Amino acid sequence: MSDGARRTFALDGLEVPFEPGQTILQAALAAGHYVPHLCFHPEFRPHGSCRVCTVKVNGRTTASCTTPARDDDVVESRTEELDELRRNLIQFLFTEGNHFCPSCEQSGNCTLQAVGYELGVTTGHYNPLFPNRPVDASHPDVLLDFNRCILCELCVHASAEVDKKHVFALSGRGITKHLVVNAESGRLGDTPLAVYDKAMSVCPVGVIQRKGRGFAVPIGARTYDRASISAIAVPRREEV
Ligand code: FES
């Protein structure tokens, strides 16, 4: 295709324009079409770990955050089949961690919770595993609650690529994979993490919390209490 030509693909029957180099997810969001997603962050290279953004491209399932948009592709996203897959993934995440939303400081600002509401998830469905995970309160300003980690890797990337501190890493494989702190002691208090670091602001759930600042915004007045994540994640159509 010659430069300057309009490139588009079909998303659930709607025409979506894209620029060369954009992924399906990036193009869809830019055009005002919400595709549910969790581990994608616009400031970081997509790494495709959560699979919540799964779509079908010409009949084949793939992660929309890592799949380049291509001219004339036919993409299915909000079908009952794919939303059911997403609900399952969200329910797995809720049941393999310890998520007690009513007492979580992140409730109402939590992406996992908001995507769950978007997809109509009302229960964990599976038996909760109640893993025994610690809380690290060794840092003077930051509380680290591993119970809520969904292994999205965003804090790992933010700390390494933006903060240049490599405070966080993932260790283990499969079911044993877990978030760790890069300090000989394994304690957050022995790392150079500071409250103004990028890693402090990218956690989509409630793992990394500022100490001494609880419930400053009351429940009911938080981001996803006021509007659904699909309404917040995309620009209004008339602005596109
Ligand atoms: Fe695409 Fe997580 S948002 S795999």
Side-chain angles (χ1 to χ4, degrees), residues 25 37-40 48-53 63 65:
L25 181 60
H37 57 277
L38 262 186
C39 70
F40 169 76
S49 66
C50 77
R51 314 309 280 188
V52 171
C53 70
C65 70

PDB file of all heavy atoms in Angstrom, residues 25 37-40 48-53 63 65, ligand 1:
ATOM      1  N   LEU A  25      -5.140  -3.148  19.650  1.00  0.00           N
ATOM      2  CA  LEU A  25      -5.655  -2.500  20.857  1.00  0.00           C
ATOM      3  C   LEU A  25      -5.424  -0.991  20.815  1.00  0.00           C
ATOM      4  O   LEU A  25      -6.316  -0.198  21.126  1.00  0.00           O
ATOM      5  CB  LEU A  25      -5.011  -3.110  22.103  1.00  0.00           C
ATOM      6  CG  LEU A  25      -5.489  -2.546  23.445  1.00  0.00           C
ATOM      7  CD1 LEU A  25      -6.989  -2.747  23.635  1.00  0.00           C
ATOM      8  CD2 LEU A  25      -4.729  -3.176  24.609  1.00  0.00           C
ATOM      9  N   HIS A  37      -8.904  -4.935  28.740  1.00  0.00           N
ATOM     10  CA  HIS A  37      -7.479  -5.267  28.857  1.00  0.00           C
ATOM     11  C   HIS A  37      -7.027  -4.981  30.276  1.00  0.00           C
ATOM     12  O   HIS A  37      -7.658  -4.198  30.991  1.00  0.00           O
ATOM     13  CB  HIS A  37      -6.656  -4.456  27.853  1.00  0.00           C
ATOM     14  CG  HIS A  37      -6.818  -2.970  28.001  1.00  0.00           C
ATOM     15  ND1 HIS A  37      -7.862  -2.284  27.438  1.00  0.00           N
ATOM     16  CD2 HIS A  37      -6.076  -2.045  28.654  1.00  0.00           C
ATOM     17  CE1 HIS A  37      -7.757  -0.998  27.722  1.00  0.00           C
ATOM     18  NE2 HIS A  37      -6.681  -0.824  28.478  1.00  0.00           N
ATOM     19  N   LEU A  38      -5.910  -5.591  30.672  1.00  0.00           N
ATOM     20  CA  LEU A  38      -5.399  -5.393  32.034  1.00  0.00           C
ATOM     21  C   LEU A  38      -3.935  -4.978  32.054  1.00  0.00           C
ATOM     22  O   LEU A  38      -3.575  -3.990  32.683  1.00  0.00           O
ATOM     23  CB  LEU A  38      -5.533  -6.707  32.833  1.00  0.00           C
ATOM     24  CG  LEU A  38      -6.721  -6.886  33.759  1.00  0.00           C
ATOM     25  CD1 LEU A  38      -6.543  -8.199  34.530  1.00  0.00           C
ATOM     26  CD2 LEU A  38      -6.830  -5.729  34.744  1.00  0.00           C
ATOM     27  N   CYS A  39      -3.070  -5.758  31.416  1.00  0.00           N
ATOM     28  CA  CYS A  39      -1.630  -5.521  31.598  1.00  0.00           C
ATOM     29  C   CYS A  39      -1.069  -4.515  30.598  1.00  0.00           C
ATOM     30  O   CYS A  39       0.101  -4.153  30.688  1.00  0.00           O
ATOM     31  CB  CYS A  39      -0.850  -6.836  31.544  1.00  0.00           C
ATOM     32  SG  CYS A  39      -0.776  -7.603  29.914  1.00  0.00           S
ATOM     33  N   PHE A  40      -1.875  -4.049  29.673  1.00  0.00           N
ATOM     34  CA  PHE A  40      -1.415  -3.030  28.725  1.00  0.00           C
ATOM     35  C   PHE A  40      -1.382  -1.667  29.403  1.00  0.00           C
ATOM     36  O   PHE A  40      -2.300  -1.290  30.127  1.00  0.00           O
ATOM     37  CB  PHE A  40      -2.346  -2.982  27.513  1.00  0.00           C
ATOM     38  CG  PHE A  40      -2.110  -1.796  26.622  1.00  0.00           C
ATOM     39  CD1 PHE A  40      -1.025  -1.770  25.762  1.00  0.00           C
ATOM     40  CD2 PHE A  40      -2.956  -0.688  26.659  1.00  0.00           C
ATOM     41  CE1 PHE A  40      -0.790  -0.666  24.947  1.00  0.00           C
ATOM     42  CE2 PHE A  40      -2.742   0.412  25.850  1.00  0.00           C
ATOM     43  CZ  PHE A  40      -1.651   0.421  24.991  1.00  0.00           C
ATOM     44  N   GLY A  48       1.788  -8.726  26.694  1.00  0.00           N
ATOM     45  CA  GLY A  48       0.827  -9.808  26.466  1.00  0.00           C
ATOM     46  C   GLY A  48       0.755 -10.861  27.540  1.00  0.00           C
ATOM     47  O   GLY A  48       0.680 -12.048  27.231  1.00  0.00           O
ATOM     48  N   SER A  49       0.724 -10.468  28.807  1.00  0.00           N
ATOM     49  CA  SER A  49       0.729 -11.502  29.841  1.00  0.00           C
ATOM     50  C   SER A  49      -0.660 -11.867  30.356  1.00  0.00           C
ATOM     51  O   SER A  49      -0.877 -13.009  30.735  1.00  0.00           O
ATOM     52  CB  SER A  49       1.625 -11.094  31.017  1.00  0.00           C
ATOM     53  OG  SER A  49       1.104  -9.973  31.677  1.00  0.00           O
ATOM     54  N   CYS A  50      -1.623 -10.947  30.364  1.00  0.00           N
ATOM     55  CA  CYS A  50      -2.905 -11.259  31.020  1.00  0.00           C
ATOM     56  C   CYS A  50      -3.903 -11.943  30.085  1.00  0.00           C
ATOM     57  O   CYS A  50      -4.786 -12.657  30.553  1.00  0.00           O
ATOM     58  CB  CYS A  50      -3.523 -10.002  31.622  1.00  0.00           C
ATOM     59  SG  CYS A  50      -4.323  -8.893  30.421  1.00  0.00           S
ATOM     60  N   ARG A  51      -3.816 -11.698  28.808  1.00  0.00           N
ATOM     61  CA  ARG A  51      -4.679 -12.259  27.751  1.00  0.00           C
ATOM     62  C   ARG A  51      -6.129 -11.771  27.831  1.00  0.00           C
ATOM     63  O   ARG A  51      -6.997 -12.291  27.120  1.00  0.00           O
ATOM     64  CB  ARG A  51      -4.671 -13.797  27.750  1.00  0.00           C
ATOM     65  CG  ARG A  51      -3.308 -14.426  27.867  1.00  0.00           C
ATOM     66  CD  ARG A  51      -2.317 -13.894  26.874  1.00  0.00           C
ATOM     67  NE  ARG A  51      -2.422 -14.449  25.548  1.00  0.00           N
ATOM     68  CZ  ARG A  51      -1.557 -14.221  24.578  1.00  0.00           C
ATOM     69  NH1 ARG A  51      -0.518 -13.420  24.795  1.00  0.00           N
ATOM     70  NH2 ARG A  51      -1.724 -14.746  23.386  1.00  0.00           N
ATOM     71  N   VAL A  52      -6.419 -10.822  28.696  1.00  0.00           N
ATOM     72  CA  VAL A  52      -7.783 -10.298  28.778  1.00  0.00           C
ATOM     73  C   VAL A  52      -8.165  -9.574  27.486  1.00  0.00           C
ATOM     74  O   VAL A  52      -9.330  -9.484  27.125  1.00  0.00           O
ATOM     75  CB  VAL A  52      -7.922  -9.362  30.009  1.00  0.00           C
ATOM     76  CG1 VAL A  52      -9.254  -8.624  30.005  1.00  0.00           C
ATOM     77  CG2 VAL A  52      -7.780 -10.180  31.289  1.00  0.00           C
ATOM     78  N   CYS A  53      -7.162  -9.076  26.765  1.00  0.00           N
ATOM     79  CA  CYS A  53      -7.427  -8.326  25.523  1.00  0.00           C
ATOM     80  C   CYS A  53      -7.591  -9.244  24.318  1.00  0.00           C
ATOM     81  O   CYS A  53      -7.604  -8.773  23.179  1.00  0.00           O
ATOM     82  CB  CYS A  53      -6.282  -7.350  25.266  1.00  0.00           C
ATOM     83  SG  CYS A  53      -4.753  -8.200  24.803  1.00  0.00           S
ATOM     84  N   ALA A  63      -3.704 -11.973  21.216  1.00  0.00           N
ATOM     85  CA  ALA A  63      -3.747 -10.822  22.136  1.00  0.00           C
ATOM     86  C   ALA A  63      -3.727  -9.536  21.311  1.00  0.00           C
ATOM     87  O   ALA A  63      -2.797  -9.307  20.543  1.00  0.00           O
ATOM     88  CB  ALA A  63      -2.554 -10.872  23.078  1.00  0.00           C
ATOM     89  N   CYS A  65      -3.189  -6.564  22.236  1.00  0.00           N
ATOM     90  CA  CYS A  65      -2.189  -5.565  22.649  1.00  0.00           C
ATOM     91  C   CYS A  65      -0.831  -5.804  21.998  1.00  0.00           C
ATOM     92  O   CYS A  65       0.011  -4.910  21.983  1.00  0.00           O
ATOM     93  CB  CYS A  65      -2.038  -5.532  24.162  1.00  0.00           C
ATOM     94  SG  CYS A  65      -1.256  -6.991  24.869  1.00  0.00           S
TER      95      CYS A  65
HETATM   96 FE1  FES B   1      -3.057  -7.718  26.256  1.00  0.00          FE
HETATM   97 FE2  FES B   1      -2.808  -8.130  28.894  1.00  0.00          FE
HETATM   98  S1  FES B   1      -3.655  -6.404  27.865  1.00  0.00           S
HETATM   99  S2  FES B   1      -2.311  -9.487  27.248  1.00  0.00           S
END
